[in-house]
Amino acid sequence: MRIIIAIATLNLIACSSTFAVQQANTKVLGAYSMFAPSTTEAPNIYARVVVDGVLNDANQCPSLLFGKKSMPMQLRAMRPDQTHFPVSVCEAKISPNTAYTVSDSQFSLAPVTFDPNKIAVFGDTGCKSSVCENNTAAEPFKTLAEQGAKQQPQLLLHMGDFNYRGTGGAISGDTYAYDAGDGGYGGTSCGLNDTYYSQNALNSPRPDTWSNWQADFFAATTDLSATAPWIFARGNHELCSRAGIGWFYFFGPGANLPDAIDQQQCPSQGDYNQPPQSASAHIIVQNSYTINLKTLSVWVMDSANACDASADNGLTKVYQQQYQRLNVRSELLKAKPMWIMSHRPIWGVEDPTTKDTLNVMLQTALKSTRQGKLPEHATLSLAGHMHIYQSSTFAASTARPPQIVVGNSGVSLSDTNAFSEFDYALDSQNAIVNEQGKFGFLSIKLGKDGAWQGEFLDESGAAFLTCSSETTDKQAVCRTK
């Protein structure tokens, strides 16, 4: 498999005692902060600002204002085709515990803390074009995001699948983009060894575009993004064959900033009229990384390419190596509670009547490590991908953390069934599984020593499920109110 890595050059951040004078007026379209991995132990905090137009010089970027000082921003490298993305992203490494405003705009960013105690979790938020039309902001995600902002969170987690409006249905006719086996496409190789069709190939009739990103994410999150930094997972709708171009530009964790890891981008997507005969050279798997906070660490895995139903291709080895590195690193470092963050669930029940489970590739990769399991201090697994809420709670003897699927934050639900609970054997281990087809997001309050309490909130802000780190062999991690 081929991974494309940009060569980073480090640019020192300069601050001046007076506000910077802008050399060009730029319209700010969005602003957000995010945690990202660093070449040091402490994570980086980035501010990113999306501005209208294709800028050619960092001097055209807005500045970040704090107190009586200002900070210049750099142009984000490796921008997409300006025809489809007539915007620019400016970015800067920012300090914790500092409030910023974006010059010549109404956008602001709240102070970032390394010790958050209120966390909001969203997943599968985009809106299908059959539901949201004419570039209107994604609903009900916008309403849920507004309710999330009212909770005044200090950390935002997104479990992936941001962009549905630009990635739904066929590219053209009955030709579908590579989707790593989702929906059964690709046979035993999950499309890896099949003809590779990409929305972003040369001559594609349906490329990834800014307008879909703007409608499905940015228009819905203005208030929410002002409250706290994000940690972004990558979903299968953000594969390079779908909306991966925009994901790496807007949310990719690499940058040309101090202590940053290298920025990555999607490799060549081939020619739509003469498609490649294999996906291998045209996909990318972002290396996993850990965001170390004061009392909690979050391990982020890019599971976008992980086949749900099969482990019969070379990507299983890639995920095995990531789990292996996680376990080795965990043995070397002082343990603190760790949350696993992945778009595709490691253990999900797709259909209890047919015994279909997700994710076979991740399950196989994990079992193939020397330890054969997650680290002992991995206390919670968070995922999306399934368009419902679902949790799986294992007996303490299995050494598996509970898993919560937050796949119900905006995209059309896979079902609208009432709350149900059942026992189920997941990857050979018994679990209490429950699920509900209702829109919502997970609001969590952290306690001492890794303990936490949470609620699923709906569009009105009302709680319909309670969740807790305190479970037993007979009590699920989440339950009805």
Side-chain angles (χ1 to χ4, degrees):
M1 189 183 70
R2 178 182 173 194
I3 295 180
I4 305 298
I5 301 178
I7 299 176
T9 57
L10 300 181
N11 300 308
L12 296 178
I13 294 175
C15 294
S16 64
S17 59
T18 58
F19 291 168
V21 177
Q22 298 300 302
Q23 295 186 4
N25 292 323
T26 54
K27 181 180 179 182
V28 177
L29 304 176
Y32 52 102
S33 60
M34 60 182 285
F35 279 119
S38 169
T39 56
T40 67
E41 191 63 28
N44 281 329
I45 313 168
Y46 300 150
R48 288 184 179 164
V49 175
V50 183
V51 300
D52 193 23
V54 181
L55 307 187
N56 298 311
D57 192 306
N59 289 327
Q60 297 175 291
C61 284
S63 295
L64 296 176
L65 311 179
F66 57 109
K68 295 184 178 180
K69 297 182 179 180
S70 70
M71 175 186 294
M73 304 190 80
Q74 304 294 320
L75 272 175
R76 184 152 172 77
M78 298 187 193
R79 67 181 64 184
D81 182 345
Q82 66 187 57
T83 302
H84 307 307
F85 286 83
V87 295
S88 301
V89 174
C90 300
E91 63 183 350
K93 182 178 175 181
I94 59 175
S95 300
N97 307 313
T98 304
Y100 295 88
T101 57
V102 181
S103 63
D104 299 320
S105 81
Q106 300 298 312
F107 289 89
S108 63
L109 300 172
V112 175
T113 176
F114 286 111
D115 190 18
N117 57 44
K118 298 178 70 175
I119 302 172
V121 187
F122 299 83
D124 296 80
T125 56
C127 191
K128 295 181 179 180
S129 56
S130 59
V131 178
C132 293
E133 299 178 350
N134 302 321
N135 288 325
T136 56
E139 285 288 6
F141 177 42
K142 184 176 187 294
T143 298
L144 291 170
E146 291 169 349
Q147 292 295 340
K150 293 178 182 179
Q151 302 298 312
Q152 298 183 315
Q154 296 166 308
L155 176 62
L156 303 170
L157 307 182
H158 197 299
M159 308 313 303
D161 277 10
F162 305 79
N163 187 333
Y164 283 88
R165 210 168 322 203
T167 56
I171 305 176
S172 178
D174 59 355
T175 301
Y176 289 81
Y178 163 82
D179 199 10
D182 191 53
Y185 169 77
T188 57
S189 79
C190 300
L192 192 68
N193 300 324
D194 288 2
T195 303
Y196 181 75
Y197 288 100
S198 171
Q199 291 187 211
N200 301 300
L202 183 67
N203 298 313
S204 166
R206 193 177 185 180
D208 189 17
T209 65
W210 157 249
S211 61
N212 289 319
W213 275 100
Q214 192 274 339
D216 264 11
F217 182 81
F218 290 99
T221 57
T222 299
D223 293 340
L224 182 63
S225 291
T227 65
W230 289 93
I231 301 177
F232 295 111
R234 180 182 175 217
N236 60 298
H237 280 258
E238 289 78 54
L239 288 165
C240 290
S241 54
R242 307 183 83 186
I245 305 297
W247 190 90
F248 277 101
Y249 189 47
F250 298 124
F251 302 148
N256 290 341
L257 295 172
D259 302 320
I261 65 169
D262 292 337
Q263 184 181 344
Q264 294 178 297
Q265 66 177 352
C266 289
S268 165
Q269 296 297 287
D271 189 329
Y272 187 75
N273 295 326
Q274 294 180 320
Q277 295 306 298
S278 170
S280 298
H282 306 280
I283 65 174
I284 184 172
V285 178
Q286 172 73 48
N287 286 334
S288 58
Y289 59 89
T290 303
I291 301 298
N292 283 310
L293 303 174
K294 183 175 180 180
T295 59
L296 176 74
S297 63
V298 181
W299 186 70
V300 186
M301 171 185 262
D302 174 5
S303 60
N305 284 281
C307 183
D308 289 323
S310 174
D312 292 336
N313 73 43
L315 290 172
T316 303
K317 186 68 174 180
V318 173
Y319 292 112
Q320 176 191 344
Q321 292 170 346
Q322 295 201 19
Y323 284 128
Q324 187 65 54
R325 287 194 294 269
L326 168 66
N327 280 318
V328 170
R329 179 175 172 81
S330 297
E331 291 175 353
L332 297 174
L333 297 177
K334 182 180 179 181
K336 69 174 71 171
M338 171 181 282
W339 290 0
I340 305 297
M341 184 172 170
S342 163
H343 174 65
R344 298 183 192 249
I346 307 172
W347 305 286
V349 180
E350 185 175 28
D351 187 342
T353 61
T354 61
K355 302 186 183 303
D356 290 337
T357 67
L358 308 177
N359 179 279
V360 173
M361 183 172 284
L362 296 181
Q363 292 168 10
T364 303
L366 180 57
K367 288 186 292 187
S368 300
T369 63
R370 179 172 60 83
Q371 297 83 350
K373 61 182 182 180
L374 294 172
E376 291 184 1
H377 63 286
T379 58
L380 179 63
S381 176
L382 290 166
H385 192 48
M386 306 169 70
H387 297 171
I388 56 171
Y389 148 78
Q390 186 180 95
S391 74
S392 302
T393 309
F394 299 91
S397 59
T398 67
R400 288 182 184 174
Q403 178 179 268
I404 302 176
V405 173
V406 186
N408 58 334
S409 301
V411 71
S412 300
L413 298 170
S414 57
D415 67 57
T416 55
N417 293 337
F419 180 88
S420 63
E421 185 167 286
F422 48 91
D423 294 330
Y424 196 84
L426 267 168
D427 189 24
S428 76
Q429 299 293 338
N430 291 330
I432 303 171
V433 179
N434 60 40
E435 60 185 25
Q436 185 169 354
K438 183 177 175 66
F439 289 117
F441 68 97
L442 177 58
S443 178
I444 295 177
K445 293 183 179 179
L446 295 181
K448 295 181 179 180
D449 302 322
W452 57 269
Q453 302 290 326
E455 294 180 318
F456 268 88
L457 305 181
D458 64 17
E459 299 102 308
S460 68
F464 60 96
L465 294 169
T466 61
C467 305
S468 173
S469 58
E470 299 176 1
T471 63
T472 68
D473 288 355
K474 294 183 180 181
Q475 185 178 50
V477 65
C478 295
R479 44 264 188 192
T480 54
K481 286 283 290 182

